[in-house]
Amino acid sequence: MSDVEYAERADRPVLVFSAPILDGSGVRGVLVGAMYLDRQTIFDAIPPLETSSQTVTIVGDGIVLNENERTFNEGIESSSTVESTGWEVTVTRDRTLLEDRLDRLAALQTLVLVVVVLVMVGFGYWQYAVSLRQTERLLDGFDRLGEGDYDSTVSLRGGAEWERMSDGFNELAATLRARESELRERRQRLDVLYRVLQHNIRNRMSIVLNYADLIADEAADETVVGAAETIHRAGRDITGLSRKAQQMKNALEADPDRRPVDVASLAADAVAELREEYPDVTVTASLPDEAWAMALPSVRLAVENVCGNACEHNDSDDPRVEIAVTATGTEPDVDRDPADENGGRVRIEVADNGPGIPEQDRAAIDEGRETALEHGSGLGLWLTYWVVDNSGGTLRFADNDPRGSIVIIDLPRAAPRRGDANAPDPSNRVDDRP
């Protein structure tokens, strides 16, 4: 077969091919033929190359064998050579259709991505909502426990971790419920025992004291009179213990909320009472006009108890008690919550020249444990310790020189409350005088 030739008279490309004519003895001749290369002869005989989306151009030996007049605004073109004929085939496809397909594919992918994201967001929100509900149930349960509702339980679902937390909470509630029941029963027994003892002690000791006074007045024997006075003193000590126990009970059951208290005013009142009750004791005071501390209202009992013990148990030939109140640090802003402490402290120091506080009582307070009490002051020290500790303060002891003890109470400083109905009268302030 020859290369493609162009027939000028026909104005068409021609393909000339030849084939030998053979018989048994050899070549007898040659068959030569020619065929126009156009749509009617070749290209229409094969599946259509031209479509609405593509065109095909065929070039052989520099002659265009097939060409389409269709054009595209944007096309994608690709060429290849047929090895058997050497023809170059160029296919041009409409880019618009391809872009439409790509756009549809991109839209489909976007839709799939949106669906996946929505599913993930929905699942995450569901998990969040479940966790939030579970957490709220758990927090509500703890709130109920904090309010004393130990019968409350929670049921959490959504995983092994939540179930373990649910079981742990319910076990905690059961433990607190049992503990509360035990404490309630113990408190009831103590209340009954306390009422019985208080009633009997008061009544019986009144009889003992009356008879001791009668014996001391009527007896002629000095030994009997001395014994009666000893009985009277012991009975008075027991009555004092009963009174302190009542004070302790009242203090522990009083208002548990801290509030601004003018410690200088409390100390001034205590000094006035001491001078009246213990005229043989020299009581001196160094008090500022005011010294506001954040404390329980029952801190008054603590101040009175410490000052009273210093006078009551002072066995010196010249008993002396010194009371001092000082304020250190910056005073909190009056417009701010008085509980907002900034390091300021109010200190109360009570020094005496008596026998001092027994070491075992001081060790008991320092270590925070009960121990045998040397005398009635031990119970008062525990009352003082509990009130000061619940007020956010500290209670310390030191040795006085040359004899006696110094009791030091430090309380958080508070902003003064002006116009308070309970505010002390400045005329009640005590200066440093005997």
Side-chain angles (χ1 to χ4, degrees):
M1 182 174 60
S2 67
D3 295 333
V4 177
E5 298 178 3
Y6 193 80
E8 295 181 359
R9 288 187 300 173
D11 194 23
R12 286 184 292 179
V14 176
L15 179 63
V16 178
F17 55 89
S18 61
I21 301 174
L22 304 174
D23 61 5
S25 59
V27 177
R28 292 297 185 181
V30 176
L31 176 62
V32 179
M35 180 177 62
Y36 292 115
L37 297 178
D38 54 21
R39 295 181 182 276
Q40 289 77 22
T41 58
I42 294 181
F43 300 122
D44 284 346
I46 60 177
L49 300 177
E50 308 291 342
T51 65
S52 60
S53 62
Q54 74 176 18
T55 61
V56 177
T57 300
I58 303 175
V59 177
D61 297 331
I63 301 174
V64 178
L65 306 179
N66 183 72
E67 186 178 18
N68 195 289
E69 296 180 355
R70 179 187 296 274
T71 59
F72 305 113
N73 292 331
E74 292 186 62
I76 301 175
E77 187 175 279
S78 178
S79 300
S80 180
T81 302
V82 180
E83 294 183 359
S84 59
T85 63
W87 296 352
E88 183 178 359
V89 180
T90 300
V91 179
T92 303
R93 302 197 65 179
D94 188 358
R95 185 182 182 88
T96 303
L97 296 177
L98 180 59
E99 289 182 348
D100 290 342
R101 181 177 297 179
L102 292 176
D103 291 341
R104 289 195 298 271
L105 181 60
L108 179 61
Q109 291 176 338
T110 302
L111 179 61
V112 171
L113 181 60
V114 169
V115 171
V116 171
V117 171
L118 291 177
V119 170
M120 293 178 64
V121 171
F123 180 75
Y125 178 78
W126 176 77
Q127 286 282 25
Y128 168 77
V130 170
S131 299
L132 183 62
R133 287 195 299 269
Q134 303 282 56
T135 303
E136 289 177 348
R137 291 175 186 170
L138 190 60
L139 293 177
D140 290 342
F142 279 114
D143 288 339
R144 292 193 297 271
L145 287 183
E147 295 171 357
D149 181 11
Y150 303 122
D151 292 325
S152 63
T153 58
V154 296
S155 178
L156 305 178
R157 296 292 182 267
E161 295 82 2
W162 288 110
E163 293 180 359
R164 285 198 295 270
M165 284 190 285
S166 176
D167 294 340
F169 177 89
N170 294 334
E171 290 177 3
L172 174 62
T175 302
L176 292 176
R177 184 164 56 251
R179 181 62 175 169
E180 177 67 15
S181 177
E182 179 183 348
L183 291 176
R184 188 183 302 113
E185 183 179 354
R186 180 180 300 179
R187 189 181 303 114
Q188 291 173 350
R189 293 198 300 265
L190 290 176
D191 287 343
V192 172
L193 181 61
Y194 173 79
R195 287 194 298 270
V196 171
L197 289 178
Q198 284 289 95
H199 181 268
N200 290 342
I201 287 176
R202 288 197 186 108
N203 291 342
R204 297 296 185 269
M205 290 313 303
S206 295
I207 296 173
V208 171
L209 291 175
N210 290 334
Y211 274 104
D213 289 339
L214 179 61
I215 294 173
D217 292 339
E218 299 295 334
D221 190 339
E222 293 296 331
T223 303
V224 175
V225 172
E229 292 177 348
T230 301
I231 293 174
H232 190 277
R233 285 194 300 272
R236 194 172 56 205
D237 289 343
I238 294 176
T239 303
L241 281 175
S242 175
R243 177 174 54 83
K244 288 183 178 179
Q246 179 66 45
Q247 289 178 343
M248 182 178 295
K249 182 175 184 295
N250 294 339
L252 296 178
E253 294 177 353
D255 187 356
D257 296 329
R258 305 176 190 176
R259 63 188 62 178
V261 178
D262 186 1
V263 176
S265 176
L266 300 184
D269 294 341
V271 168
E273 294 176 2
L274 292 176
R275 287 173 177 166
E276 181 178 353
E277 186 174 356
Y278 302 97
D280 296 335
V281 180
T282 302
V283 180
T284 59
S286 176
L287 308 178
D289 288 341
E290 58 182 19
W292 291 84
M294 182 60 59
L296 298 178
S298 54
V299 73
R300 173 185 293 272
L301 291 176
V303 174
E304 293 176 351
N305 180 75
V306 171
C307 297
N309 282 339
C311 293
E312 181 180 355
H313 301 287
N314 198 321
D315 58 357
S316 175
D317 294 336
D318 180 22
R320 303 183 64 85
V321 174
E322 299 177 1
I323 303 172
V325 175
T326 56
T328 62
T330 305
E331 181 180 283
D333 189 349
V334 70
D335 296 328
R336 196 171 63 217
D337 184 355
D340 183 12
E341 305 161 9
N342 65 343
R345 312 292 285 181
V346 173
R347 172 167 293 183
I348 309 160
E349 293 189 23
V350 179
D352 64 73
N353 61 344
I357 299 174
E359 185 62 32
Q360 61 180 2
D361 288 356
R362 294 169 59 170
I365 298 299
D366 292 338
E367 297 175 9
R369 60 177 178 83
E370 298 180 5
T371 185
L373 302 180
E374 181 70 18
H375 47 66
S377 65
L379 190 60
L381 285 178
W382 275 112
L383 169 62
T384 302
Y385 170 76
W386 286 328
V387 171
V388 171
D389 185 66
N390 289 330
S391 297
T394 58
L395 174 64
R396 296 184 292 114
F397 307 99
D399 293 327
N400 198 9
D401 186 23
R403 184 174 186 266
S405 298
I406 302 176
V407 180
I408 304 170
I409 298 175
D410 282 325
L411 296 172
R413 192 170 179 180
R417 282 295 180 254
R418 306 303 182 190
D420 193 339
N422 297 323
D425 185 352
S427 63
N428 291 333
R429 300 293 182 266
V430 176
D431 297 328
D432 187 6
R433 65 182 185 274

